Amino acid sequence: QAFAAAAGLLDTYLDHWIGMYTAACEATHARGEQSAEVLDLRMACLDERLSSVRVLTDVLSHADRGVVDSAIDAASGLPTLDRCADVAMLRAVIKPPDDRATRARVAAVRETVAKVNVLGMSGQCDKAVALGNKAVADAEAVGYLPLKAEALLALGALGDNCMDPLKAIDCLEDAVFAAEASHHDEVAFRAAVMIAPFFSDRIRDLRMARFWVRYAEAILTRFPGHPLFEAWLAVSRAVVFEFNGLYDEEIREHQRALDIKLSVLGSSHIDTAISMMDLAVALHDDGRDAQAEPIMARAIALFVDLCGPDSTRVALASLDLSEILTGLRRFEGAHNAIDRAIAIWKAKGGSTFFIGYALMDLGRLNLAEGHPLAARAVLEQAVATLGKDAPAVTAEAQFALAKTLWGSPPERARAVDLARGARAVLSEGKLPPRKTAEIDAWLVGHPAR
């Protein structure tokens, strides 16, 4: 099932590639409306894109279980072809050196950069980080600044799952500076769009998050007509709005991203499903579960169709669905969704983070059902499973546990301590404002004595 979906994405991509290649040739050699210089620029861009396809198919041909699970993400993450038709953007980038040997070195490093992107998207973190560092060093040795910007972008993009976000930010900021110096607008934009969520979601520096969103907006004005770039920017805005407590604006931007993806990618693309999930989660967080439920159900159906019923994408969305159904007091469906998520993660060897998160949601579900003893047992296990590696989520589990303990008078002092501990995590900038307000309100109504 994963092969069928990935192959379909590759076929569509290559059909588009062939169409652009043919159009570029005909514009110069058949109709004479395009110079040889522009043809060279477009062909160089198309060659880079084809290199990414070649690297991806090589990785997929040696796939393990983890690569299979990430195959659709990797195939859908191939670089967009639109840039190869944007002559103004292609002309702006500093041209590579004229000598053949240096051009060959540039092409070799770009092949390495493509492999870093594919390895990262397919979940092979150790290989991706090692190869990313090599790509940056090789690009610096070549001395071609746009290439250095591309290598830094690929390495920094690994911050989502494979490396420390602070290190990722350093790489991405360096990518922006190298891109600006060499007029590589696409890299500057993509790096800025990635940096903003790191600052808002991971670092909690909202001033810097807003700065990078505005920077990306400014860059995008230089090359309009790229709708997927608009969608990526909308997602970054949404994350920043969330951590500013501007929930209506967050939902608006997620809806905007979804509308663009539906228009450009269609209703059966994994990026469209991801935006559906993002929108549903934002609606749930704002207490609009009745609106969120059908959107999340549609996203899960798409993930099942594209990735298979045992995909980790299905597991993650099922856990989100359980929270929505708990909010709607549809408890049987919530239990089924949590059970499905846990079964997938256990079968896939999922990390303790995901197992702990699922246990936390199960405990909150038990509490909503009016079963505090069951909730307490599960939440104690969730806190122990999550540990110190995920302080924000552990804090959420501690607060949920505090609420279950309050019903037992001998445990009330511990309950308040747990809630205060969760609140202390917030003071370090690890939780969004809505969770602050909930904890503060609970502490006011549940004094220690």
Side-chain angles (χ1 to χ4, degrees), residues 47 77 191 233 341 349 358 382 426 429 442 446:
D47 283 347
L233 180 54
L426 174 63
W442 189 89
H446 300 78

Side-chain angles (χ1 to χ4, degrees), residues 272-350:
T272 305
I274 290 169
S275 274
M276 289 177 185
M277 186 172 71
D278 289 343
L279 176 59
V281 169
L283 288 166
H284 163 68
D285 288 343
D286 200 40
R288 293 151 67 173
D289 289 315
Q291 291 177 258
E293 189 272 334
I295 299 172
M296 185 63 76
R298 188 178 173 197
I300 291 174
L302 266 176
F303 288 138
V304 170
D305 286 345
L306 293 169
C307 309
D310 60 348
S311 161
T312 52
R313 284 277 187 200
V314 175
L316 185 59
S318 295
L319 202 58
D320 290 331
L321 178 62
S322 77
E323 296 178 4
I324 293 168
L325 293 175
T326 298
L328 293 170
R329 303 190 66 77
R330 290 164 54 183
F331 298 134
E332 182 179 356
H335 275 290
N336 291 338
I338 290 175
D339 291 346
R340 182 183 201 177
I342 292 175
I344 292 172
W345 277 319
K346 285 184 176 179
K348 296 280 187 179

